[in-house]
Amino acid sequence: AARLQESVALHESLAALPPEQRAVLEGVYLRSLTLRETAEELSIPLGTAKSRVRLALANLRKQLADKGHAHA
C-alpha cells in the first residue's frame, strides 16, 4: 500500500511540474535520452536543459516532502 501511495504521489508531482521542466525529465529519465539529445529534441541549449533538470528535481523533492515522503 505504501509503495502505491508513493507511486501516486510521484505521478501527481510530475504532473504538477511546469511543462518545460517535465519535458526535460521525461526525455532524460523516462526515455533514457542524454541531456544533449533531450536539449536537441526540445530545441533548447544544453545549459538550459541542465538547469531545467536541476529545477525539476528540486521541485519534485519539495513536493514529495510536502506530501510526507521524507526520503524523496
Side-chain angles (χ1 to χ4, degrees):
R3 190 171 184 118
L4 177 59
Q5 288 175 340
E6 288 178 356
S7 179
V8 168
L10 178 59
H11 285 282
E12 288 174 349
S13 296
L14 280 169
L17 287 176
E20 62 275 4
Q21 291 178 18
R22 187 172 55 250
V24 174
L25 284 187
E26 287 173 351
V28 174
Y29 292 101
L30 299 180
R31 298 178 54 215
S32 301
L33 298 175
T34 66
L35 264 171
R36 184 174 306 281
E37 291 168 335
T38 300
E40 288 174 1
E41 187 172 282
L42 297 173
S43 301
I44 59 174
L46 180 58
T48 300
K50 289 178 181 181
S51 294
R52 288 181 184 176
V53 166
R54 282 193 302 273
L55 284 171
L57 292 176
N59 285 337
L60 279 179
R61 284 186 199 100
K62 182 181 181 329
Q63 288 181 44
L64 291 171
D66 289 349
K67 292 179 182 189
H69 298 281
H71 60 279

